[in-house]
Amino acid sequence: MQRDRTHLGSRISGPRRCLERLIASSSPITRGAPHSRRPLRANPARCARPLKVFPITTFQSLGLSQPVLDALASKNYTTPTPIQAQAIPTVLSGRDLLGIAQTGTGKTAAFMLPSIDRLVASGKKAAPGRCRMLVIAPTRELAAQIAENAKFYARGSRLHVATVFGGTSIYKNKQDMAKGVDILVCTPGRLVDLMENRAVSLDATEILVLDEADQMMDMGFSEDMDRLVKDLGESVARWLFSATFPRHLQMAVDRWLDKPREIRLDTRAGS
């Protein structure tokens, strides 16, 4: 038992002696009054990587007009989502845009808010049978939702919003388009029908938005989309948004967009 205590003592005596020698030989850095001590310096090699601090982006900092900001404020929207923060400046500039982000991340506001400002700023009026902004969505449910948001965001302006999609009266669609509309939200099939009936022309369209483009491709609208894009002028600003980015959509983007800025926020977009 005595041997065990001696062995234990020998194990701790080494560090204790080292500590005594360190105290005896300490320089003013570690001895003396507290006010005489030099500040300790952290060893960068032993420190954790510092956190990056990013400035908080607000809708006010994105260059949106006051009427649009007022509409956002009425719903207590102050901070844009990542897709909105990155897409809105590009849309305001008029450059083609490819935005890949999951459903529910705010893609509608990302293109609708700056588009409203562009339409108001240009001061143009919609001609009969024409639309200044064309938004194409895969389903009538999504088209109706986009139109509802557009009406709310544009309530401080005089922009006219209309919808055309299957399941509604094509006669009423023709009436809605007769005087021209600023923002037309539609599904591809019904839009093609109206064009074939010469109720709609795209020769005065300024903005094209293809929303949830991957779904439209999966639903077999590729040929319709090729035809619609072909009927547009070269000066039209074109913005495509999608939740995924499969190979067949990548090939279509080369046909539909002109050197777009790419924003990809979903790492699974290429699958």
Side-chain angles (χ1 to χ4, degrees), residues 20-246:
E20 292 173 352
R21 287 197 300 269
L22 177 62
I23 294 175
S25 61
S26 295
S27 67
I29 298 176
T30 57
R31 297 186 66 186
H35 64 270
S36 65
R37 296 180 181 178
R38 300 176 186 174
L40 297 178
R41 295 183 180 180
N43 184 352
R46 306 176 98 180
C47 294
R49 180 176 298 177
L51 294 176
K52 293 183 179 180
V53 179
F54 296 96
I56 298 176
T57 302
T58 63
F59 283 111
Q60 287 84 350
S61 67
L62 296 178
L64 296 171
S65 68
Q66 193 58 50
V68 169
L69 293 175
D70 291 341
L72 290 168
S74 68
K75 285 195 172 185
N76 296 321
Y77 295 156
T78 57
T79 305
T81 65
I83 186 65
Q84 293 165 359
Q86 296 190 49
I88 287 175
T90 301
V91 173
L92 286 173
S93 72
R95 179 180 175 182
D96 283 11
L97 172 66
L98 168 65
I100 308 297
Q102 293 181 346
T103 301
T105 54
K107 294 193 293 292
T108 298
F111 64 76
M112 189 58 68
L113 297 176
S115 295
I116 290 172
D117 276 355
R118 284 174 57 88
L119 294 174
V120 172
S122 71
K124 296 180 181 179
K125 294 184 178 180
R130 271 75 174 170
C131 63
R132 300 177 60 202
M133 176 180 181
L134 175 63
V135 182
I136 306 178
T139 65
R140 60 184 180 182
E141 292 81 11
L142 179 57
Q145 179 182 345
I146 294 172
E148 181 180 356
N149 290 330
K151 292 176 181 179
F152 177 81
Y153 295 136
R155 64 180 186 172
S157 68
R158 296 183 179 180
L159 299 179
H160 180 204
V161 182
T163 57
V164 295
F165 44 73
T168 60
S169 170
I170 193 170
Y171 176 74
K172 184 179 183 306
N173 294 158
K174 292 179 179 179
Q175 286 184 318
D176 291 340
M177 292 301 304
K179 294 182 179 181
V181 298
D182 295 295
I183 302 174
L184 176 62
V185 189
C186 64
T187 53
R190 177 52 59 93
L191 180 59
V192 170
D193 292 340
L194 291 171
M195 293 177 64
E196 291 178 346
N197 283 272
R198 297 185 178 182
V200 174
S201 174
L202 304 182
D203 59 5
T205 301
E206 305 168 36
I207 299 171
L208 169 69
V209 179
L210 305 176
D211 195 20
E212 303 296 353
D214 53 348
Q215 291 188 35
M216 286 191 282
M217 297 288 287
D218 293 340
M219 296 171 67
F221 288 125
S222 179
E223 293 185 4
D224 289 339
M225 300 303 300
D226 284 337
R227 174 181 176 181
L228 295 173
V229 172
K230 186 177 180 180
D231 285 346
L232 295 169
E234 294 183 359
S235 62
V236 174
R238 308 176 187 197
W239 306 315
L240 185 150
F241 291 85
S242 181
T244 62
F245 197 42

